[in-house]
Amino acid sequence: MSTFDALSKILVKDYSIAAELLTPDTTLASLAIDSLGVIELVFAIEDRFEISVPDTDATTLSEFGTLSELCQYVDQLIAKRDALAVAASAGATVATPP
């Protein structure tokens, strides 16, 4: 399942947004998710993808223009998580940005 598909399922299930309204070009602003909803979306994304969204990014999540941009961000966090896991299993240390 793609990141977009998984994110779409979250939005349909948790926010009652019609699936046909969700395309990669759908803007987050058009979904009318308030600030509390954005925080809840962050938690749902973290749970679904087993990632951690940095607090500084969590507060600006609503600033992503489109669902496609949000998916790209989530994919970056997944890649970072996976790289850290590979490095840890190999016994290497990986520097993480502050």
Side-chain angles (χ1 to χ4, degrees):
M1 176 180 299
S2 73
T3 303
F4 177 79
D5 291 337
L7 181 60
S8 293
K9 284 187 176 196
I10 291 169
L11 292 168
V12 168
K13 179 180 173 267
D14 296 348
Y15 298 89
S16 301
I17 297 172
E20 57 272 4
L21 297 177
L22 302 175
T23 69
D25 294 328
T26 299
T27 63
L28 292 175
S30 71
L31 300 178
I33 299 173
D34 64 15
S35 58
L36 179 58
V38 169
I39 293 169
E40 292 171 345
L41 180 58
V42 168
F43 291 140
I45 288 171
E46 288 179 327
D47 288 344
R48 169 58 183 89
F49 296 101
E50 299 177 356
I51 58 174
S52 180
V53 176
D55 289 341
T56 55
D57 291 348
T59 58
T60 60
L61 195 64
S62 61
E63 294 177 13
F64 283 94
T66 65
L67 293 181
S68 177
E69 291 171 358
L70 179 56
C71 289
Q72 289 171 6
Y73 173 72
V74 170
D75 287 339
Q76 289 172 359
L77 291 178
I78 292 169
K80 180 180 175 182
R81 176 205 64 200
D82 293 348
L84 290 172
V86 167
S89 70
T93 57
V94 176
T96 56

